[in-house]
């Protein structure tokens, strides 16, 4: 759904803990189908080798215009998150000295005048300021900033940064207070351990993908492919491992809910789902500030612990404690306006919590069902092999695999419809949406039921017809 099709108001969304969720969203039932929008979103799946080549090509593209060392170009591009146009703009239109300073590299067009010459003693050696040992100049090395240390100290320093701290693009000079970055050529020249070199290359590649807004790693576990697009948009992309996800946010494809609403929902579930049931059963809210309170003693005289509130009230009727006097156990103020307002506020909160749990439970139910449906592939594969032994061709039994694919897509979509419905304003269009949701629920459960049946030669034709009718 486009952002232009939304509107916000002070409608109760059923939120429990975060006040910024208190809005509702309109649904546009006339918006184009997502499948129509997917076709014109080009993307490319890259291997690790292709990612490295793409990084090299980006550096070459800049160097054809800006004649600076390739190592400096890589650091500058990383500083601008591999946005070549932005780098070019700053390079030619801005303060170049500030540009290089902000990127933590030495200006290649003007060497710093403050660089000190190597301090060679009469014995022809230099002192390493890390280990305080003397070495011949051939065993000392440094960066453009002029700080020189022995190769052994450099090796240990770089190995620690790479292996223990996981740094790649952001390793600074070993000198105290110097923020000049160590270029990749220097790292590969000084580090001798092949395993450390390999990890450094992986860190550089990973940083390139994560910094580049037009690249994203496939979010499937143990997949090493990356997706490259021409522009960022909340559209589905499918990796070579067959995993489909949203390029903009990286979550599993979540049509019809928007990325920002899905992020709010996931955060809300992380914050609320574990405690919501316990809160509903064991706590009440302060009638004045709505802070959640647990009763841990027998006395019904409650004092809110909120430092800005300190309200005295009765646990039983939620009315002010002051008029209770010595007859607190009678709670004879039940019909007073103040107590009634407190109970109304309490009821509103509980209703809000119940609404959230309604959508959360159904969301989690489909998530759990989706996990089971993935296991269904194994049993379906066995059924397909068995059916091929009953004089059916490989083509004829493919309807079962397609049915499981459709079933998983339906479960994923149904999960997201409950997130979408949670933030939806209640009106005539939302009722149409809920009717469509109900139809999809019914068809999905029927399809799941058919696929879990035992297939025999007697009921094969009937089940095939019913399964194909459901996923068309």
């Amino acid at each position: 759904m486009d952002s232009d099709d939304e509107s916000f108001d002070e409608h109760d969304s059923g939120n429990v803990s975060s006040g910024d969720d208190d809005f509702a969203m309109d649904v546009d039932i006339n918006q184009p189908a997502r499948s129509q929008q997917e076709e014109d979103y080009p993307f490319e799946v890259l291997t690790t080798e292709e990612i490295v080549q793409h990084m090299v090509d980006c550096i070459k593209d800049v160097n054809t215009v800006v004649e600076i060392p390739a190592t400096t170009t890589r650091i500058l591009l990383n500083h601008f998150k591999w946005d070549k146009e932005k780098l070019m703009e700053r390079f030619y239109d801005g303060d170049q000295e500030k540009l290089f300073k902000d990127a933590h590299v030495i200006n290649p067009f003007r060497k710093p005048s403050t660089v000190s010459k190597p301090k060679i003693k009469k014995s022809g050696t230099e002192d390493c300021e890390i280990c305080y040992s003397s070495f011949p100049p051939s065993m000392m090395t440094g960066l453009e900033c002029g700080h020189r240390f022995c190769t052994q100290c450099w090796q240990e320093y770089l190995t620690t940064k790479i292996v223990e701290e996981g740094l790649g693009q952001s390793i600074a000079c070993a000198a105290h207070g110097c923020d000049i970055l160590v270029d990749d050529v220097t790292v590969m020249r000084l580090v001798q351990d092949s395993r450390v070199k390999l990890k450094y290359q992986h860190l550089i590649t990973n940083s390139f993908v994560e910094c580049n807004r037009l690249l994203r790693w496939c979010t499937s576990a143990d997949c090493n492919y990356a997706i490259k697009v021409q522009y960022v948009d909340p559209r589905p992309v499918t990796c070579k491992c067959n995993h489909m996800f949203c390029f903009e946010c990286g979550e599993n494809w979540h049509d019809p809910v928007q990325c920002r609403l899905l992020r709010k929902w996931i955060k809300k579930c992380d914050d609320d789902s574990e405690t919501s049931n316990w809160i509903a059963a064991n706590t009440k809210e302060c009638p004045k500030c709505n802070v959640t309170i647990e009763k841990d003693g027998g006395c019904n005289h409650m004092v809110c612990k909120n430092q800005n509130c300190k309200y005295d009230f009765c646990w039983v009727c939620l009315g002010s404690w002051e008029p209770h006097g010595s007859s607190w156990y009678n709670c004879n103020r039940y019909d007073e306006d103040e107590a009634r307002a407190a109970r109304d506020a309490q009821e509103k909160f509980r209703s809000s919590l119940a609404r959230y749990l309604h959508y959360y439970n159904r969301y989690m139910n489909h998530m759990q069902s989706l996990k089971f449906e993935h296991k269904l592939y194994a049993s379906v594969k066995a059924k397909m092999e068995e059916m091929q032994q009953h004089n059916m061709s490989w083509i004829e039994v493919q309807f079962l695999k397609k049915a499981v694919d459709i079933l998983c897509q339906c479960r994923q979509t149904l999960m997201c419809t409950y997130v979408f419905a949670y933030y939806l304003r209640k009106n005539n269009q939302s009722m149409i949406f809920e009717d469509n949701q109900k139809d999809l629920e019914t068809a999905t459960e029927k399809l799941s039921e058919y696929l879990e049946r035992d297939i025999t030669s007697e009921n094969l034709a009937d089940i095939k017809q019913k399964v194909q009718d459901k996923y068309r």
Side-chain angles (χ1 to χ4, degrees):
M1 176 181 295
D2 296 332
S3 58
D4 295 340
D5 295 326
E6 299 172 11
S7 63
F8 306 90
D9 63 9
E10 295 300 321
H11 181 274
D12 176 29
S13 67
N15 181 44
V16 175
S17 61
S18 53
D20 61 349
D21 276 350
D22 288 334
F23 67 90
M25 178 179 63
D26 280 330
V27 58
D28 182 6
I29 60 175
N30 297 315
Q31 67 175 350
R34 176 66 70 181
S35 58
Q36 298 173 5
Q37 303 174 19
E38 294 172 16
E39 297 176 357
D40 58 351
Y41 188 59
F43 64 89
E44 185 180 355
V45 182
L46 303 181
T47 63
T48 303
E49 293 75 18
E50 290 170 333
I51 295 169
V52 173
Q53 186 58 50
H54 179 47
M55 179 169 59
V56 172
D57 292 342
C58 288
I59 295 172
K60 287 181 178 178
D61 289 344
V62 174
N63 277 348
T64 56
V65 181
V66 181
E67 295 182 355
I68 56 178
T71 54
T72 303
T73 303
R74 185 190 62 77
I75 295 175
L76 289 175
L77 281 167
N78 188 68
H79 178 67
F80 287 98
K81 299 188 182 301
W82 294 87
D83 189 329
K84 295 183 289 186
E85 289 74 18
K86 191 174 181 180
L87 169 58
M88 297 289 193
E89 181 182 347
R90 279 287 305 276
F91 185 84
Y92 287 108
D93 299 338
D95 183 346
Q96 285 191 6
E97 190 62 38
K98 186 176 185 303
L99 166 66
F100 290 110
K101 183 180 179 180
D102 291 343
H104 305 297
V105 292
I106 298 295
N107 187 340
F109 302 113
R110 188 175 66 185
K111 301 297 181 181
S113 58
T114 57
V115 174
S116 59
K117 295 182 179 180
K119 298 177 182 179
I120 301 178
K121 297 188 294 186
K122 292 181 180 180
S123 60
T125 60
E126 289 183 60
D127 288 338
C128 173
E129 296 183 3
I130 294 179
C131 65
Y132 294 101
S133 300
S134 296
F135 298 92
S138 61
M139 295 182 65
M140 299 285 289
T141 188
L143 305 177
E144 298 269 343
C145 57
H147 298 118
R148 290 167 60 84
F149 308 100
C150 69
T151 54
Q152 181 63 31
C153 287
W154 269 114
Q155 288 174 14
E156 293 179 3
Y157 171 74
L158 293 173
T159 299
T160 300
K161 290 292 183 181
I162 295 168
V163 176
E164 297 184 10
E165 299 183 25
L167 296 180
Q169 300 272 23
S170 56
I171 302 177
C173 174
H176 177 71
C178 181
D179 60 359
I180 297 301
L181 297 179
V182 185
D183 61 84
D184 52 336
V185 173
T186 301
V187 173
M188 297 301 287
R189 173 171 58 86
L190 291 173
V191 173
Q192 301 300 315
D193 191 327
S194 59
R195 293 171 299 179
V196 179
K197 283 186 176 182
L198 183 60
K199 179 163 186 180
Y200 177 73
Q201 292 171 334
H202 286 166
L203 289 169
I204 291 292
T205 305
N206 188 59
S207 176
F208 171 65
V209 174
E210 292 185 349
C211 287
N212 195 323
R213 65 188 186 88
L214 299 180
L215 291 173
R216 183 181 283 278
W217 288 114
C218 174
T219 55
S220 178
D222 302 324
C223 181
N224 295 319
Y225 291 111
I227 307 296
K228 176 176 175 281
V229 298
Q230 298 177 7
Y231 58 93
V232 179
D233 211 28
R235 302 284 190 90
V237 291
T238 305
C239 181
K240 288 182 179 178
C241 68
N242 293 323
H243 178 61
M244 178 187 289
F245 62 96
C246 173
F247 184 84
E248 184 172 274
C249 68
E251 296 289 342
N252 290 342
W253 181 231
H254 48 76
D255 199 29
V257 68
Q258 293 178 334
C259 298
R260 62 185 183 84
L261 294 183
L262 184 64
R263 283 193 295 268
K264 290 170 77 73
W265 172 261
I266 292 174
K267 183 180 184 302
K268 181 175 181 58
C269 291
D270 290 341
D271 293 343
D272 295 341
S273 61
E274 294 295 328
T275 57
S276 291
N277 285 318
W278 186 91
I279 288 174
N282 298 282
T283 68
K284 294 183 181 181
E285 291 68 49
C286 170
K288 186 175 181 181
C289 69
N290 287 326
V291 166
T292 303
I293 296 174
E294 177 190 5
K295 187 171 183 283
D296 60 357
C299 180
N300 286 321
H301 180 190
M302 310 301 294
V303 180
C304 181
K305 294 292 182 66
N306 186 350
Q307 295 298 318
N308 298 321
C309 181
K310 296 289 187 181
Y311 183 61
D312 290 72
F313 64 96
C314 172
W315 177 263
V316 178
C317 70
L318 299 178
S320 173
W321 182 258
E322 184 178 358
H324 283 63
S326 60
S327 57
W328 60 269
Y329 46 85
N330 291 323
C331 284
N332 58 339
R333 299 284 180 175
Y334 268 125
D335 295 328
E336 291 294 328
D337 292 340
E338 185 178 1
R340 186 181 299 112
R343 289 194 302 276
D344 289 345
Q346 176 83 9
E347 181 60 31
K348 181 179 180 181
F349 181 89
R350 300 293 166 174
S351 174
S352 178
L353 176 59
R355 181 177 184 273
Y356 162 69
L357 289 175
H358 169 87
Y359 292 105
Y360 172 78
N361 289 335
R362 284 153 181 78
Y363 170 84
M364 292 303 297
N365 175 64
H366 283 294
M367 180 183 290
Q368 189 65 31
S369 295
L370 183 60
K371 294 177 181 178
F372 289 130
E373 308 299 10
H374 282 305
K375 295 179 181 179
L376 192 59
Y377 278 106
S379 61
V380 163
K381 182 180 179 181
K383 289 179 182 178
M384 291 168 65
E385 292 174 352
E386 181 182 349
M387 290 165 66
Q388 289 180 68
Q389 296 175 1
H390 290 83
N391 299 324
M392 292 192 71
S393 67
W394 182 85
I395 293 293
E396 290 178 306
V397 300
Q398 288 304 300
F399 78 94
L400 281 175
K401 182 181 180 301
K402 182 179 179 181
V404 179
D405 291 338
I406 296 294
L407 181 60
C408 291
Q409 292 176 24
C410 289
R411 292 289 186 196
Q412 183 68 36
T413 301
L414 282 169
M415 274 176 54
C416 297
T417 61
Y418 284 104
V419 182
F420 186 82
Y422 177 76
Y423 292 108
L424 198 58
R425 179 186 288 111
K426 197 76 173 177
N427 54 29
N428 290 337
Q429 289 182 335
S430 70
M431 294 177 67
I432 296 174
F433 171 81
E434 289 172 349
D435 286 342
N436 291 335
Q437 185 186 45
K438 179 187 69 175
D439 292 342
L440 181 57
E441 286 264 15
T442 303
T444 301
E445 296 305 332
K446 281 288 186 183
L447 181 57
S448 180
E449 179 185 341
Y450 292 148
L451 289 174
E452 291 180 1
R453 287 183 183 176
D454 291 332
I455 299 179
T456 63
S457 56
E458 290 77 16
N459 64 6
L460 174 60
D462 181 55
I463 289 181
K464 181 178 180 180
Q465 182 63 46
K466 289 180 177 179
V467 166
Q468 290 179 329
D469 287 344
K470 284 300 176 185
Y471 71 59
R472 280 178 180 147

